[in-house]
Amino acid sequence: MSAAIEISGLTKVYGAHRALDGVDLEVPEGSVFGFLGPNGAGKTTTLRILSGLASPTAGSGRVFGHDVVASTSAVRAEIGFLPDVPGYYEWMTADEFLRFAGGLFGLSGEALRGRVDALLDLAGLTGVQTRIGGYSRGMKQRLGVAQALINAPRLLMLDEPTSALDPIGRKEVLDMIASLRGRTTVFFSTHILADVERVCDRVAILDRGRVVAAAEMTELKSRYGGQRFVLETTGDAPVLIDRLEAEAWVTGITQLADGRLSVTVSDVEAAQRALPAAIAVLGLGLKRFEPGEISLEEVFVDLVGGER
Amino acid sequence: MRGFGVFLGKELREIGRTWRIWVLPGIVLFFAASGPPLAKITPELLSSLVDTQGTGMVIQLPDPTYVDAYLQWTKNLSQIVIFALIIMFAGAISAEKRGGTAILALTKPLSRTAFVVGKLVSHTVLLVVTTVVGAAVTWGLTFVVFGEAPLGPLAGATGAWLISGVFFVALMMLLSATMDSQAGAAGVGLVVYLLLSIATVWEPAVNYSPAGLVNAPTGIAMSESVPLGWPIGATIALAMLFAAAAIVVFRRREL
């Protein structure tokens, strides 16, 4: 699989602040890639450099092989971009704005008409004659995704597309993004973990200007979190905790508020055999034995949340 | 210059569909329409003002002519209209940067050069069309009010002022590309206007710089001989320099 985005040693310094600190990242073509990080991690800066709005202090970025500094025209021809706070000519209608955007890509006539109609339909804005100034945030965000698709881009870059939306608006935009799977590469920055879990197949976690993890979703969870078992027993839990902490395949134990134990393990098969056995050996009763996946939120907090 | 035509089309439509169509044209047409009648009644107004104060003083004013109407027009252009232009155009580029519209446009195949030139051309078109229409209104009403309205002095005075106007359009594009603050850019623009006005007391500046065009419209309207070669050449050269600098500055800025 070829790379849609290749970032190497990307650094951006604003005065004394190091917004990006040697970011290395590869986004495979065809993926829906979540670029996850807390506010201020450097997600927007990365997207601004990739789209030619800002220059790196050091390092390089390539989009489908085109250098983002030296070949901005070639990059722009390949991408669709939605900034975190999109600004519109509010006197235009959605139809007019999409025609303007298409015109900048050299589209005209029937080709432009057809694409505008299709995108208005995708954004749920067909027949809306209100000027953009009168739109809700959700409508503006859906229009934002639509305008970013006007050139049928090979790479769609979305900066926090759902952060300011209510639950319905979020769902609508995420549905739009999910519908693009297999049609284009989506590079999607956010700090909302649930959005990434819902639509992305790959993810990178950025913290303080550095990529701290990058992998497929399932691989990331197993690499950083493994599996988890929730146990509810009768009897002396501290004794069980002491016993489990000695096992090599146990990576963490947390006693939940209701007394249950959450045991994180690195070897699922070993845990499936040994956990019930350990409970039996200690003469405890087993009321609940519930396997479950580590959520992305837990991985995220584990990777970036510890020092906050 | 990729995307120039599409962007210029957007700019011209924007003028027609937003507040821009009302402000500068509104000011220019108001003064164009009110100038000739005001020139006609000004002596009567002054006389009646003196009479009502009962001082017994008698003011003898010559009968107003078309020249007075033309002087009203050039005075308004050189003061109120140029102020309006400076303030209105001070956010031409920075407002798009602040509002985020520049980002959506410039992440498409629209070059930053085309963006700045599109702004420059559209604002110049607005200025020229507005001024020409205003001059035509002044000419027509002057003819109606005074019975004579020679075209030459009015056209010459308006043309000389328009060159100054384009100079200020280019200056405001540079300031707007350089500064994020519209108020800041307007302030610097007004300072430049003030400096040019002060420079009119220094003869070399009048003969060889844009300061020569500050009072030139008045002289032309009065059918006086005004040296224009160097001032026009210097003004056009500086306007082109400002435009080029605006492009260079905007291309280097991060958005």
Side-chain angles (χ1 to χ4, degrees):
Chain A
M1 191 181 287
S2 61
I5 298 173
E6 296 163 278
I7 296 173
S8 174
L10 198 65
T11 302
K12 180 68 178 177
V13 178
Y14 294 104
H17 175 59
R18 212 169 179 82
L20 296 178
D21 190 9
V23 170
D24 294 306
L25 186 66
E26 188 169 308
V27 176
E29 187 169 5
S31 59
V32 178
F33 197 105
F35 195 42
L36 191 57
N39 292 329
K43 305 183 297 291
T44 296
T45 303
T46 305
L47 284 167
R48 288 175 66 234
I49 291 173
L50 289 173
S51 56
L53 296 172
S55 305
T57 306
S60 67
R62 302 183 83 81
V63 171
F64 296 112
H66 304 296
D67 186 277
V68 296
V69 175
S71 308
T72 50
S73 297
V75 170
R76 286 173 191 165
E78 302 271 25
I79 66 168
F81 179 62
L82 174 66
D84 53 347
V85 185
Y88 297 99
Y89 300 112
E90 301 208 330
W91 51 272
M92 287 185 179
T93 63
D95 181 274
E96 288 172 326
F97 191 80
L98 291 178
R99 284 175 163 276
F100 167 67
L104 291 176
F105 281 100
L107 296 169
S108 61
E110 279 305 305
L112 179 59
R113 180 73 267 162
R115 197 161 300 176
V116 167
D117 287 345
L119 289 171
L120 285 172
D121 187 44
L122 179 72
L125 296 171
T126 302
V128 177
Q129 293 303 316
T130 315
R131 291 182 179 190
I132 297 170
Y135 281 15
S136 68
R137 278 189 171 176
M139 292 166 84
K140 284 184 178 178
Q141 216 60 351
R142 297 199 312 269
L143 175 61
V145 177
Q147 64 80 33
L149 290 167
I150 191 72
N151 57 326
R154 290 174 70 192
L155 171 64
L156 180 65
M157 297 200 294
L158 309 171
D159 191 7
E160 304 263 11
T162 59
S163 60
L165 300 180
D166 62 23
I168 294 172
R170 257 181 74 198
K171 179 182 180 305
E172 289 169 345
V173 170
L174 288 174
D175 286 348
M176 273 184 89
I177 294 170
S179 73
L180 299 171
R181 191 185 306 280
R183 291 153 63 186
T184 188
T185 307
V186 181
F187 186 59
F188 155 42
S189 89
T190 184
H191 63 272
I192 302 174
L193 303 158
D195 291 356
V196 173
E197 288 205 278
R198 185 165 160 191
V199 298
C200 297
D201 44 41
R202 299 180 74 90
V203 64
I205 297 176
L206 191 71
D207 185 38
R208 296 171 206 187
R210 290 176 178 229
V211 173
V212 293
E216 288 186 15
M217 288 286 289
T218 49
E219 185 192 336
L220 189 77
K221 286 181 188 175
S222 73
R223 189 196 305 170
Y224 290 96
Q227 292 278 328
R228 177 179 55 180
F229 291 87
V230 175
L231 308 176
E232 189 175 354
T233 60
T234 60
D236 193 357
V239 175
L240 178 60
I241 292 172
D242 289 344
R243 168 74 185 257
L244 293 179
E245 279 177 345
E247 300 289 351
W249 42 266
V250 173
T251 56
I253 304 175
T254 308
Q255 186 153 22
L256 304 176
D258 58 5
R260 292 178 301 155
L261 295 181
S262 172
V263 183
T264 314
V265 303
S266 58
D267 185 338
V268 175
E269 287 184 11
Q272 284 170 338
R273 286 192 303 272
L275 275 173
I279 291 164
V281 165
L282 292 171
L284 306 175
L286 181 59
K287 291 172 71 177
R288 185 185 289 184
F289 182 74
E290 193 176 272
E293 275 196 340
I294 293 288
S295 71
L296 182 59
E297 185 169 351
E298 286 164 296
V299 175
F300 181 80
V301 170
D302 195 35
L303 284 169
V304 308
E307 296 171 35
R308 289 171 193 282
Chain B
M1 290 285 279
R2 193 166 178 195
F4 171 75
V6 174
F7 188 71
L8 179 61
K10 186 281 293 180
E11 281 287 302
L12 295 175
R13 288 201 308 282
E14 188 166 24
I15 288 170
R17 292 175 56 181
T18 63
W19 56 272
R20 289 168 182 79
I21 193 64
W22 301 109
V23 180
L24 193 65
I27 291 170
V28 170
L29 291 178
F30 172 77
F31 286 117
S34 62
L38 202 62
K40 179 76 173 176
I41 64 170
T42 295
E44 292 171 31
L45 279 175
L46 283 174
S47 297
S48 65
L49 196 66
V50 170
D51 288 347
T52 56
Q53 290 182 350
T55 58
M57 196 164 65
V58 176
I59 294 179
Q60 286 288 345
L61 289 171
D63 287 340
T65 67
Y66 73 87
V67 175
D68 296 293
Y70 287 0
L71 289 178
Q72 284 274 358
W73 167 246
T74 58
K75 185 192 73 182
N76 289 330
L77 284 179
S78 301
Q79 293 174 1
I80 298 166
V81 174
I82 207 85
F83 284 177
L85 180 157
I86 287 171
I87 292 166
M88 186 178 157
F89 291 4
I93 292 171
S94 60
E96 288 231 21
K97 182 174 180 284
R98 255 193 336 271
T101 47
I103 288 179
L104 277 193
L106 290 167
T107 46
K108 297 178 171 55
L110 169 68
S111 72
R112 294 197 186 193
T113 301
F115 186 92
V116 174
V117 176
K119 289 280 177 190
L120 185 68
V121 171
S122 63
H123 285 71
T124 301
V125 166
L126 172 64
L127 178 70
V128 171
V129 171
T130 298
T131 306
V132 168
V133 171
V137 170
T138 296
W139 178 78
L141 285 176
T142 301
F143 188 79
V144 169
V145 172
F146 294 101
E148 63 171 333
L151 197 55
L154 181 66
T158 303
W161 181 83
L162 262 179
I163 293 169
S164 285
V166 172
F167 167 87
F168 275 99
V169 171
L171 173 68
M172 297 321 294
M173 291 304 126
L174 171 58
L175 293 173
S176 185
T178 308
M179 308 167 77
D180 285 339
S181 162
Q182 180 168 355
V188 176
L190 290 173
V191 167
V192 172
Y193 172 76
L194 190 67
L195 291 175
L196 282 178
S197 300
I198 292 170
T200 56
V201 299
W202 190 43
E203 198 176 334
V206 173
N207 290 336
Y208 299 109
S209 82
L213 291 184
V214 173
N215 293 326
T218 302
I220 297 168
M222 296 170 74
S223 300
E224 291 175 356
S225 173
V226 179
L228 288 172
W230 273 100
I232 287 178
T235 303
I236 291 174
L238 276 173
M240 291 170 73
L241 189 68
F242 290 156
I247 292 167
V248 171
V249 167
F250 192 60
R251 287 178 67 169
R252 289 183 178 173
R253 290 206 75 185
E254 296 200 347
L255 298 178

Short mmCIF file of all heavy atoms in Angstrom, two decimals, chain A residues 101-155:
data_model
loop_
_atom_site.label_atom_id
_atom_site.label_comp_id
_atom_site.label_asym_id
_atom_site.label_seq_id
_atom_site.Cartn_x
_atom_site.Cartn_y
_atom_site.Cartn_z
N ALA A 101 -15.88 27.00 -5.30
CA ALA A 101 -14.78 26.07 -4.96
C ALA A 101 -14.41 25.21 -6.16
O ALA A 101 -13.23 25.02 -6.47
CB ALA A 101 -15.19 25.20 -3.78
N GLY A 102 -15.41 24.72 -6.87
CA GLY A 102 -15.14 23.90 -8.06
C GLY A 102 -14.46 24.69 -9.15
O GLY A 102 -13.57 24.19 -9.84
N GLY A 103 -14.87 25.95 -9.29
CA GLY A 103 -14.25 26.82 -10.31
C GLY A 103 -12.77 26.99 -10.06
O GLY A 103 -11.97 27.04 -11.01
N LEU A 104 -12.36 27.05 -8.79
CA LEU A 104 -10.94 27.19 -8.48
C LEU A 104 -10.15 25.95 -8.91
O LEU A 104 -8.94 26.02 -9.13
CB LEU A 104 -10.74 27.45 -6.98
CG LEU A 104 -11.24 28.81 -6.48
CD1 LEU A 104 -11.09 28.91 -4.96
CD2 LEU A 104 -10.50 29.95 -7.15
N PHE A 105 -10.83 24.81 -9.01
CA PHE A 105 -10.17 23.60 -9.50
C PHE A 105 -10.30 23.46 -11.02
O PHE A 105 -9.94 22.43 -11.57
CB PHE A 105 -10.78 22.36 -8.83
CG PHE A 105 -10.27 22.14 -7.43
CD1 PHE A 105 -11.02 22.53 -6.34
CD2 PHE A 105 -9.03 21.58 -7.20
CE1 PHE A 105 -10.56 22.35 -5.04
CE2 PHE A 105 -8.56 21.38 -5.91
CZ PHE A 105 -9.31 21.78 -4.83
N GLY A 106 -10.86 24.47 -11.66
CA GLY A 106 -10.98 24.44 -13.12
C GLY A 106 -12.20 23.68 -13.60
O GLY A 106 -12.33 23.42 -14.80
N LEU A 107 -13.11 23.33 -12.70
CA LEU A 107 -14.33 22.64 -13.13
C LEU A 107 -15.33 23.65 -13.69
O LEU A 107 -15.40 24.78 -13.23
CB LEU A 107 -14.97 21.91 -11.95
CG LEU A 107 -14.16 20.77 -11.32
CD1 LEU A 107 -14.81 20.34 -10.01
CD2 LEU A 107 -14.07 19.61 -12.29
N SER A 108 -16.10 23.21 -14.66
CA SER A 108 -17.11 24.11 -15.23
C SER A 108 -18.19 23.28 -15.91
O SER A 108 -18.07 22.05 -16.02
CB SER A 108 -16.48 25.08 -16.24
OG SER A 108 -15.90 24.33 -17.29
N GLY A 109 -19.24 23.94 -16.34
CA GLY A 109 -20.29 23.32 -17.14
C GLY A 109 -20.98 22.17 -16.44
O GLY A 109 -21.23 22.19 -15.23
N GLU A 110 -21.26 21.13 -17.22
CA GLU A 110 -22.03 19.99 -16.71
C GLU A 110 -21.27 19.22 -15.63
O GLU A 110 -21.87 18.71 -14.68
CB GLU A 110 -22.38 19.04 -17.87
CG GLU A 110 -23.59 19.49 -18.68
CD GLU A 110 -24.83 19.69 -17.80
OE1 GLU A 110 -25.21 18.76 -17.07
OE2 GLU A 110 -25.39 20.81 -17.82
N ALA A 111 -19.95 19.14 -15.79
CA ALA A 111 -19.14 18.42 -14.80
C ALA A 111 -19.29 19.07 -13.43
O ALA A 111 -19.48 18.39 -12.42
CB ALA A 111 -17.67 18.41 -15.22
N LEU A 112 -19.22 20.39 -13.41
CA LEU A 112 -19.35 21.11 -12.15
C LEU A 112 -20.76 20.98 -11.60
O LEU A 112 -20.96 20.73 -10.41
CB LEU A 112 -18.99 22.59 -12.36
CG LEU A 112 -19.10 23.50 -11.13
CD1 LEU A 112 -18.20 23.02 -9.99
CD2 LEU A 112 -18.73 24.94 -11.48
N ARG A 113 -21.74 21.13 -12.49
CA ARG A 113 -23.14 21.04 -12.06
C ARG A 113 -23.42 19.68 -11.40
O ARG A 113 -24.02 19.59 -10.35
CB ARG A 113 -24.04 21.26 -13.28
CG ARG A 113 -25.53 21.21 -13.06
CD ARG A 113 -26.07 22.41 -12.33
NE ARG A 113 -26.12 22.19 -10.90
CZ ARG A 113 -26.21 23.15 -9.99
NH1 ARG A 113 -26.23 24.40 -10.35
NH2 ARG A 113 -26.28 22.88 -8.71
N GLY A 114 -22.95 18.63 -12.07
CA GLY A 114 -23.19 17.28 -11.56
C GLY A 114 -22.54 17.06 -10.21
O GLY A 114 -23.14 16.50 -9.30
N ARG A 115 -21.31 17.56 -10.08
CA ARG A 115 -20.61 17.34 -8.81
C ARG A 115 -21.24 18.16 -7.69
O ARG A 115 -21.37 17.69 -6.56
CB ARG A 115 -19.13 17.69 -8.98
CG ARG A 115 -18.32 17.10 -7.87
CD ARG A 115 -16.88 17.00 -8.16
NE ARG A 115 -16.54 16.18 -9.30
CZ ARG A 115 -15.31 16.04 -9.76
NH1 ARG A 115 -14.33 16.65 -9.16
NH2 ARG A 115 -15.07 15.29 -10.81
N VAL A 116 -21.64 19.38 -8.01
CA VAL A 116 -22.28 20.23 -6.98
C VAL A 116 -23.58 19.58 -6.51
O VAL A 116 -23.84 19.50 -5.30
CB VAL A 116 -22.54 21.64 -7.54
CG1 VAL A 116 -23.48 22.43 -6.62
CG2 VAL A 116 -21.22 22.39 -7.71
N ASP A 117 -24.37 19.09 -7.45
CA ASP A 117 -25.64 18.45 -7.07
C ASP A 117 -25.39 17.23 -6.18
O ASP A 117 -26.08 17.04 -5.17
CB ASP A 117 -26.42 18.02 -8.32
CG ASP A 117 -27.01 19.22 -9.05
OD1 ASP A 117 -27.05 20.32 -8.43
OD2 ASP A 117 -27.41 19.08 -10.21
N ALA A 118 -24.39 16.43 -6.54
CA ALA A 118 -24.10 15.22 -5.76
C ALA A 118 -23.64 15.57 -4.35
O ALA A 118 -24.04 14.93 -3.37
CB ALA A 118 -23.04 14.38 -6.47
N LEU A 119 -22.82 16.60 -4.24
CA LEU A 119 -22.30 16.97 -2.92
C LEU A 119 -23.35 17.66 -2.06
O LEU A 119 -23.37 17.48 -0.84
CB LEU A 119 -21.06 17.87 -3.08
CG LEU A 119 -19.83 17.13 -3.61
CD1 LEU A 119 -18.71 18.10 -3.95
CD2 LEU A 119 -19.34 16.11 -2.58
N LEU A 120 -24.22 18.43 -2.69
CA LEU A 120 -25.33 19.02 -1.92
C LEU A 120 -26.20 17.90 -1.35
O LEU A 120 -26.66 17.97 -0.21
CB LEU A 120 -26.18 19.94 -2.81
CG LEU A 120 -25.55 21.30 -3.15
CD1 LEU A 120 -26.41 22.03 -4.20
CD2 LEU A 120 -25.40 22.16 -1.91
N ASP A 121 -26.37 16.86 -2.15
CA ASP A 121 -27.17 15.72 -1.70
C ASP A 121 -26.45 15.01 -0.54
O ASP A 121 -27.06 14.70 0.48
CB ASP A 121 -27.37 14.77 -2.89
CG ASP A 121 -28.32 13.64 -2.54
OD1 ASP A 121 -29.35 13.94 -1.92
OD2 ASP A 121 -28.03 12.48 -2.88
N LEU A 122 -25.15 14.80 -0.70
CA LEU A 122 -24.37 14.13 0.35
C LEU A 122 -24.42 14.92 1.66
O LEU A 122 -24.49 14.35 2.75
CB LEU A 122 -22.91 13.99 -0.10
CG LEU A 122 -21.94 13.33 0.88
CD1 LEU A 122 -22.21 11.84 0.98
CD2 LEU A 122 -20.49 13.57 0.46
N ALA A 123 -24.40 16.25 1.53
CA ALA A 123 -24.40 17.11 2.73
C ALA A 123 -25.80 17.39 3.25
O ALA A 123 -25.95 18.08 4.26
CB ALA A 123 -23.69 18.43 2.41
N GLY A 124 -26.79 16.87 2.57
CA GLY A 124 -28.17 17.11 3.00
C GLY A 124 -28.59 18.56 2.83
O GLY A 124 -29.40 19.08 3.60
N LEU A 125 -28.04 19.23 1.82
CA LEU A 125 -28.35 20.65 1.62
C LEU A 125 -29.05 20.92 0.29
O LEU A 125 -29.16 22.07 -0.13
CB LEU A 125 -27.04 21.47 1.68
CG LEU A 125 -26.32 21.46 3.04
CD1 LEU A 125 -24.95 22.10 2.93
CD2 LEU A 125 -27.15 22.19 4.08
N THR A 126 -29.51 19.88 -0.36
CA THR A 126 -30.22 20.07 -1.63
C THR A 126 -31.47 20.91 -1.39
O THR A 126 -32.24 20.65 -0.47
CB THR A 126 -30.62 18.70 -2.22
OG1 THR A 126 -29.43 17.92 -2.40
CG2 THR A 126 -31.32 18.87 -3.56
N GLY A 127 -31.63 21.92 -2.22
CA GLY A 127 -32.83 22.75 -2.13
C GLY A 127 -32.78 23.83 -1.07
O GLY A 127 -33.70 24.64 -0.95
N VAL A 128 -31.69 23.87 -0.29
CA VAL A 128 -31.58 24.92 0.74
C VAL A 128 -31.14 26.21 0.05
O VAL A 128 -30.02 26.29 -0.46
CB VAL A 128 -30.57 24.51 1.84
CG1 VAL A 128 -30.42 25.64 2.85
CG2 VAL A 128 -31.02 23.23 2.51
N GLN A 129 -31.99 27.20 0.04
CA GLN A 129 -31.68 28.45 -0.64
C GLN A 129 -31.21 29.55 0.31
O GLN A 129 -30.87 30.66 -0.11
CB GLN A 129 -32.91 28.94 -1.42
CG GLN A 129 -33.29 28.05 -2.58
CD GLN A 129 -32.17 27.87 -3.59
OE1 GLN A 129 -31.49 28.83 -3.96
NE2 GLN A 129 -31.92 26.63 -4.00
N THR A 130 -31.21 29.23 1.61
CA THR A 130 -30.76 30.21 2.61
C THR A 130 -29.29 30.53 2.39
O THR A 130 -28.51 29.66 1.99
CB THR A 130 -30.90 29.60 4.02
OG1 THR A 130 -32.16 28.96 4.10
CG2 THR A 130 -30.77 30.65 5.10
N ARG A 131 -28.92 31.77 2.68
CA ARG A 131 -27.50 32.10 2.59
C ARG A 131 -26.73 31.40 3.72
O ARG A 131 -27.30 31.13 4.79
CB ARG A 131 -27.31 33.61 2.70
CG ARG A 131 -27.84 34.34 1.49
CD ARG A 131 -27.59 35.82 1.63
NE ARG A 131 -28.08 36.52 0.45
CZ ARG A 131 -27.85 37.79 0.19
NH1 ARG A 131 -27.14 38.52 1.04
NH2 ARG A 131 -28.32 38.35 -0.90
N ILE A 132 -25.45 31.15 3.50
CA ILE A 132 -24.66 30.38 4.47
C ILE A 132 -24.65 31.07 5.84
O ILE A 132 -24.58 30.40 6.87
CB ILE A 132 -23.21 30.19 3.94
CG1 ILE A 132 -23.26 29.36 2.65
CG2 ILE A 132 -22.34 29.50 4.97
CD1 ILE A 132 -21.93 29.32 1.92
N GLY A 133 -24.75 32.39 5.86
CA GLY A 133 -24.77 33.13 7.12
C GLY A 133 -25.89 32.69 8.04
O GLY A 133 -25.80 32.87 9.26
N GLY A 134 -26.93 32.09 7.49
CA GLY A 134 -28.06 31.65 8.30
C GLY A 134 -28.00 30.17 8.67
O GLY A 134 -28.96 29.64 9.24
N TYR A 135 -26.90 29.51 8.37
CA TYR A 135 -26.80 28.06 8.63
C TYR A 135 -26.48 27.77 10.10
O TYR A 135 -25.82 28.56 10.77
CB TYR A 135 -25.67 27.45 7.79
CG TYR A 135 -26.01 27.19 6.35
CD1 TYR A 135 -27.14 27.75 5.75
CD2 TYR A 135 -25.20 26.39 5.57
CE1 TYR A 135 -27.43 27.51 4.42
CE2 TYR A 135 -25.48 26.16 4.23
CZ TYR A 135 -26.59 26.73 3.67
OH TYR A 135 -26.87 26.49 2.36
N SER A 136 -26.89 26.59 10.55
CA SER A 136 -26.45 26.09 11.85
C SER A 136 -25.01 25.59 11.72
O SER A 136 -24.49 25.43 10.61
CB SER A 136 -27.34 24.93 12.30
OG SER A 136 -27.13 23.82 11.44
N ARG A 137 -24.37 25.34 12.87
CA ARG A 137 -22.99 24.83 12.83
C ARG A 137 -22.91 23.50 12.10
O ARG A 137 -21.97 23.24 11.36
CB ARG A 137 -22.46 24.66 14.24
CG ARG A 137 -21.95 25.92 14.84
CD ARG A 137 -21.25 25.64 16.14
NE ARG A 137 -20.58 26.84 16.62
CZ ARG A 137 -19.95 26.93 17.77
NH1 ARG A 137 -19.90 25.88 18.56
NH2 ARG A 137 -19.36 28.03 18.14
N GLY A 138 -23.90 22.66 12.34
CA GLY A 138 -23.90 21.35 11.68
C GLY A 138 -23.98 21.48 10.17
O GLY A 138 -23.27 20.79 9.44
N MET A 139 -24.85 22.39 9.71
CA MET A 139 -24.97 22.60 8.26
C MET A 139 -23.65 23.13 7.69
O MET A 139 -23.20 22.70 6.62
CB MET A 139 -26.10 23.59 7.97
CG MET A 139 -27.49 23.05 8.29
SD MET A 139 -28.71 24.38 8.30
CE MET A 139 -29.11 24.49 6.55
N LYS A 140 -23.03 24.05 8.43
CA LYS A 140 -21.76 24.61 7.94
C LYS A 140 -20.69 23.53 7.88
O LYS A 140 -19.87 23.50 6.95
CB LYS A 140 -21.30 25.75 8.87
CG LYS A 140 -22.06 27.03 8.68
CD LYS A 140 -21.49 28.13 9.55
CE LYS A 140 -22.24 29.43 9.32
NZ LYS A 140 -21.77 30.52 10.18
N GLN A 141 -20.69 22.66 8.87
CA GLN A 141 -19.66 21.62 8.90
C GLN A 141 -19.90 20.62 7.77
O GLN A 141 -18.95 20.16 7.14
CB GLN A 141 -19.68 20.95 10.27
CG GLN A 141 -18.35 20.52 10.82
CD GLN A 141 -17.33 21.65 11.01
OE1 GLN A 141 -17.51 22.78 10.59
NE2 GLN A 141 -16.21 21.29 11.59
N ARG A 142 -21.16 20.28 7.51
CA ARG A 142 -21.44 19.36 6.41
C ARG A 142 -21.08 20.01 5.08
O ARG A 142 -20.54 19.36 4.18
CB ARG A 142 -22.93 18.95 6.43
CG ARG A 142 -23.31 18.18 7.68
CD ARG A 142 -24.60 17.39 7.51
NE ARG A 142 -25.69 18.13 6.93
CZ ARG A 142 -26.62 18.82 7.62
NH1 ARG A 142 -26.55 18.86 8.93
NH2 ARG A 142 -27.60 19.45 6.99
N LEU A 143 -21.36 21.31 4.96
CA LEU A 143 -20.95 22.03 3.74
C LEU A 143 -19.42 22.03 3.64
O LEU A 143 -18.87 21.93 2.54
CB LEU A 143 -21.48 23.47 3.78
CG LEU A 143 -21.03 24.38 2.64
CD1 LEU A 143 -21.48 23.84 1.29
CD2 LEU A 143 -21.55 25.81 2.84
N GLY A 144 -18.76 22.14 4.80
CA GLY A 144 -17.30 22.13 4.81
C GLY A 144 -16.74 20.83 4.25
O GLY A 144 -15.79 20.83 3.47
N VAL A 145 -17.33 19.73 4.66
CA VAL A 145 -16.89 18.43 4.11
C VAL A 145 -17.19 18.38 2.61
O VAL A 145 -16.35 17.94 1.81
CB VAL A 145 -17.56 17.25 4.85
CG1 VAL A 145 -17.14 15.93 4.23
CG2 VAL A 145 -17.20 17.27 6.33
N ALA A 146 -18.35 18.88 2.23
CA ALA A 146 -18.74 18.85 0.81
C ALA A 146 -17.78 19.67 -0.04
O ALA A 146 -17.32 19.22 -1.10
CB ALA A 146 -20.17 19.36 0.65
N GLN A 147 -17.45 20.89 0.42
CA GLN A 147 -16.54 21.72 -0.39
C GLN A 147 -15.15 21.08 -0.48
O GLN A 147 -14.45 21.27 -1.45
CB GLN A 147 -16.49 23.16 0.14
CG GLN A 147 -15.92 23.36 1.54
CD GLN A 147 -14.41 23.35 1.59
OE1 GLN A 147 -13.75 23.78 0.65
NE2 GLN A 147 -13.86 22.83 2.69
N ALA A 148 -14.78 20.35 0.56
CA ALA A 148 -13.47 19.69 0.53
C ALA A 148 -13.46 18.51 -0.46
O ALA A 148 -12.40 18.04 -0.85
CB ALA A 148 -13.09 19.20 1.92
N LEU A 149 -14.65 18.07 -0.86
CA LEU A 149 -14.74 16.93 -1.78
C LEU A 149 -14.98 17.36 -3.23
O LEU A 149 -15.10 16.52 -4.11
CB LEU A 149 -15.88 16.00 -1.34
CG LEU A 149 -15.65 15.21 -0.05
CD1 LEU A 149 -16.95 14.59 0.44
CD2 LEU A 149 -14.59 14.14 -0.27
N ILE A 150 -15.04 18.66 -3.48
CA ILE A 150 -15.48 19.16 -4.80
C ILE A 150 -14.56 18.68 -5.92
O ILE A 150 -14.98 18.50 -7.06
CB ILE A 150 -15.58 20.71 -4.80
CG1 ILE A 150 -16.29 21.22 -6.05
CG2 ILE A 150 -14.21 21.37 -4.67
CD1 ILE A 150 -17.75 20.95 -6.08
N ASN A 151 -13.28 18.47 -5.60
CA ASN A 151 -12.33 18.04 -6.63
C ASN A 151 -12.10 16.53 -6.61
O ASN A 151 -11.13 16.06 -7.20
CB ASN A 151 -10.99 18.75 -6.42
CG ASN A 151 -10.39 18.51 -5.04
OD1 ASN A 151 -11.13 18.38 -4.08
ND2 ASN A 151 -9.09 18.46 -4.93
N ALA A 152 -13.01 15.81 -5.94
CA ALA A 152 -12.84 14.36 -5.79
C ALA A 152 -11.40 14.06 -5.36
O ALA A 152 -10.65 13.37 -6.05
CB ALA A 152 -13.17 13.63 -7.09
N PRO A 153 -10.99 14.59 -4.20
CA PRO A 153 -9.57 14.51 -3.81
C PRO A 153 -9.13 13.09 -3.48
O PRO A 153 -9.93 12.28 -3.02
CB PRO A 153 -9.51 15.39 -2.54
CG PRO A 153 -10.87 15.28 -1.95
CD PRO A 153 -11.82 15.18 -3.11
N ARG A 154 -7.86 12.84 -3.69
CA ARG A 154 -7.30 11.54 -3.27
C ARG A 154 -7.08 11.53 -1.77
O ARG A 154 -7.00 10.48 -1.16
CB ARG A 154 -5.96 11.31 -3.98
CG ARG A 154 -6.11 11.05 -5.47
CD ARG A 154 -4.74 10.98 -6.13
NE ARG A 154 -4.00 9.78 -5.74
CZ ARG A 154 -2.70 9.60 -5.99
NH1 ARG A 154 -2.02 10.54 -6.61
NH2 ARG A 154 -2.11 8.48 -5.64
N LEU A 155 -6.95 12.73 -1.18
CA LEU A 155 -6.74 12.83 0.26
C LEU A 155 -7.65 13.92 0.83
O LEU A 155 -7.61 15.07 0.37
CB LEU A 155 -5.27 13.19 0.54
CG LEU A 155 -4.94 13.54 2.00
CD1 LEU A 155 -5.16 12.35 2.92
CD2 LEU A 155 -3.50 14.04 2.11
#
